[in-house]
Amino acid sequence: MAKAVIVGGSIAGISTAHALILAGWDVLVLEKTTSPPSGTPTGAGLGLNPLSQQIIQSWLPHPQLLHNTTLPLTIDQNQVTDSEKKISLPLTRDESFNFRAAHWADLHGLLYKALPPNVILWGHLFLSFDTANNDKGSVIIKAKVLKTGEVIEIVGDLLVAADGCLSSIRQRYLPDFKLRYSGYCAWRGVLDFSKNEDSETIMGIQRAYPDLGKCLYFDLASGTHCVFYELQNKKLNWIWYVNQPEPEVKGASVTMKVSSDMIQNMHEEADKVWIPELVKVIKETKDPFLNFIYDSDPLEKIFWDNVVLVGDAAHPTTPHCLRSTNMSILDAAVLGKCLEKWGAEKVESSLEEYQFNRLPVTSEQVLHARRLGRVKQGLVVPDREPFDPKSATPEDSKEELLQRNTPFFNDVPLLAPASIPTSI
């Protein structure tokens, strides 16, 4: 049986494991964290589109498990916040939005528990790989077992880089690659209100946002915007984008732990911008964190020999079209279909078709998300004046702001019917 080694056990890596196992491959996932998330508030919220829901359900022993751990997002609403009067007014509303809201840790746990045992090697730090013997179609991967310090070698037929937007595997092939800073960062947090459902804060936010539990809210103010929606198990997820110069990224992360002074300053700024009900939620959220928002210009190539990129390693993106997780899940499904179609003897043909299918889709989505983020943040875009929510009209805004205008929003085939390049 052909063997694939996947570097990275986040949602992109774990999704790829599911897809490749279904395609008949032996799979190992190397993940540096020492154990799976267990009931912790790891990560934040995400939205799953209908195709991702369908794909995930095909990987689960009981399809209803996905619905049991997510909430519906049937409405996509943009509203304008008047920061002086502290009121919000609806701008655009799409009531046929068919997403599901998930907490990162819940979705990860669902996918992890549905895998066969021993697929993920926890506490294994990827070190390097070698394709020197690639005439035999193999790749040699070195990893450190963090518990013992031992360095081990694993030989596989395919190496899948699911190691995120700062991918070290991608850097091997694209040494000059650099992420592009968006011009803004994001404060993020999840408020667990399961033990205080009747508090003044929760009753107030439910009055101010009457469709919580089924609506993806975007609050737009001058030069900033906030995303707000409910998650399963009485949690509220919020993201607040703030324009600022590029910070200094330390280490292999675009997430920053913040000081109490930074949180205090953020709370003071929130008071100036958002309605009081939202500010209370922000202030009562424990351990908010800061994301630096990056993307990259679309890559021209996402595989080399028997090494392939998936997820954020293949297409770093800003979060504005809820694409990152959805693109990762679809990457996994398409890669699995291609490997199953061509068989283990023709890995390069499989990867050629995977690239042929995914690059046009992800490239357009990354660039659309970039533009949408700049519009909502009031930043310069080439073909329009900076967006001012106070003067925005509903008709003009529908074209720009609604999620359903994302390229390939509802029509992404798992495999394109067009013929693939003759080089295969």
Side-chain angles (χ1 to χ4, degrees):
M1 185 184 290
K3 184 172 189 174
V5 179
I6 300 167
V7 175
S10 192
I11 287 174
I14 219 164
S15 297
T16 306
H18 275 285
L20 268 55
I21 288 168
L22 276 178
W25 281 62
D26 181 22
V27 173
L28 270 182
V29 179
L30 303 179
E31 171 51 45
K32 64 187 176 190
T33 57
T34 53
S35 63
S38 55
T40 63
T42 308
L46 50 90
L48 297 171
N49 65 21
L51 183 54
S52 290
Q53 296 169 42
Q54 181 185 332
I55 292 168
I56 290 169
Q57 286 172 325
S58 75
W59 295 336
L60 300 177
H62 305 291
Q64 74 271 19
L65 286 171
L66 181 63
H67 277 228
N68 293 347
T69 54
T70 58
L71 283 182
L73 285 178
T74 58
I75 303 167
D76 169 22
Q77 179 162 312
N78 289 273
Q79 49 197 36
V80 177
T81 296
D82 186 319
S83 299
E84 293 173 5
K85 296 179 181 177
K86 295 294 188 289
I87 57 171
S88 291
L89 302 170
L91 182 61
T92 67
R93 184 175 170 95
D94 175 6
E95 295 190 356
S96 58
F97 193 60
N98 191 20
F99 276 49
R100 304 283 301 183
H103 191 272
W104 185 94
D106 292 342
L107 181 61
H108 187 276
L110 198 64
L111 292 170
Y112 167 60
K113 287 170 187 171
L115 282 173
N118 305 319
V119 167
I120 301 185
L121 299 181
W122 300 102
H124 282 60
L125 176 66
F126 166 78
L127 297 176
S128 63
F129 70 97
D130 185 8
T131 56
N133 298 321
N134 213 40
D135 55 323
K136 299 177 183 176
S138 62
V139 55
I140 302 166
I141 298 98
K142 286 187 178 180
K144 179 189 278 190
V145 184
L146 295 179
K147 192 173 181 179
T148 64
E150 178 190 3
V151 174
I152 61 171
E153 282 192 357
I154 303 167
V155 179
D157 303 287
L158 174 67
L159 174 60
V160 181
D163 53 343
C165 64
L166 294 169
S167 169
S168 62
I169 296 173
R170 182 190 60 218
Q171 207 69 23
R172 162 89 168 261
Y173 293 101
L174 302 171
D176 298 325
F177 175 90
K178 286 186 174 58
L179 293 173
R180 186 203 70 96
Y181 179 59
S182 64
Y184 47 91
C185 293
W187 281 96
R188 305 187 67 158
V190 175
L191 175 65
D192 183 339
F193 66 96
S194 57
K195 295 178 182 175
N196 59 347
E197 294 180 53
D198 298 326
S199 71
E200 185 182 327
T201 296
I202 297 307
M203 290 193 290
I205 202 73
Q206 289 170 341
R207 284 193 298 270
Y209 296 80
D211 290 314
L212 267 179
K214 61 180 180 180
C215 183
L216 178 65
Y217 283 102
F218 293 92
D219 286 11
L220 309 170
S222 180
T224 188
H225 77 288
C226 191
V227 186
F228 188 54
Y229 55 98
E230 187 172 343
L231 300 171
Q232 183 74 290
N233 299 320
K234 309 296 180 184
K235 295 185 178 77
L236 297 175
N237 182 72
W238 57 270
I239 311 167
W240 176 17
Y241 297 98
V242 180
N243 293 338
Q244 66 176 66
E246 182 174 4
E248 185 181 341
V249 177
K250 294 178 181 177
S253 176
V254 292
T255 298
M256 178 181 179
K257 288 186 178 179
V258 293
S259 67
S260 56
D261 285 348
M262 292 171 69
I263 294 172
Q264 179 63 33
N265 289 338
M266 182 266 286
H267 288 169
E268 291 171 5
E269 290 301 312
D271 273 323
K272 298 174 188 176
V273 178
W274 303 118
I275 63 173
E277 294 87 347
L278 179 56
V279 174
K280 281 187 176 181
V281 168
I282 291 172
K283 287 182 175 180
E284 291 183 20
T285 300
K286 292 180 181 177
D287 303 320
F289 59 97
L290 196 59
N291 266 154
F292 312 136
I293 307 301
Y294 288 88
D295 67 4
S296 77
D297 290 337
L299 303 181
E300 294 180 2
K301 192 170 175 62
I302 53 174
F303 86 94
W304 297 264
D305 299 319
N306 52 351
V307 179
V308 63
L309 310 180
V310 299
D312 288 344
H315 36 69
T317 185
T318 60
H320 305 292
C321 299
L322 288 78
R323 286 298 102 197
S324 177
T325 299
N326 290 298
M327 287 196 290
S328 297
I329 291 164
L330 194 51
D331 286 349
V334 171
L335 181 59
K337 292 284 185 188
C338 292
L339 289 167
E340 184 178 28
K341 173 182 172 180
W342 288 94
E345 313 77 40
K346 295 185 176 179
V347 169
E348 190 166 351
S349 297
S350 305
L351 302 187
E352 187 84 41
E353 183 164 10
Y354 163 75
Q355 176 176 273
F356 178 77
N357 274 274
R358 294 303 292 146
L359 265 187
V361 174
T362 59
S363 298
E364 283 199 43
Q365 290 184 339
V366 165
L367 295 176
H368 184 80
R370 177 187 296 184
R371 187 182 192 282
L372 183 58
R374 293 189 67 81
V375 168
K376 288 186 173 184
Q377 286 297 103
L379 297 170
V380 173
V381 292
D383 55 348
R384 71 173 331 277
E385 292 295 311
F387 177 71
D388 179 0
K390 287 185 178 179
S391 61
T393 64
E395 282 309 309
D396 290 342
S397 300
K398 279 180 185 176
E399 280 301 309
E400 288 201 300
L401 301 182
L402 288 180
Q403 298 288 315
R404 66 173 48 261
N405 294 316
T406 304
F408 302 100
F409 182 75
N410 272 330
D411 56 350
V412 189
L414 280 179
L415 290 182
S419 60
I420 55 178
T422 53
S423 61
I424 293 176

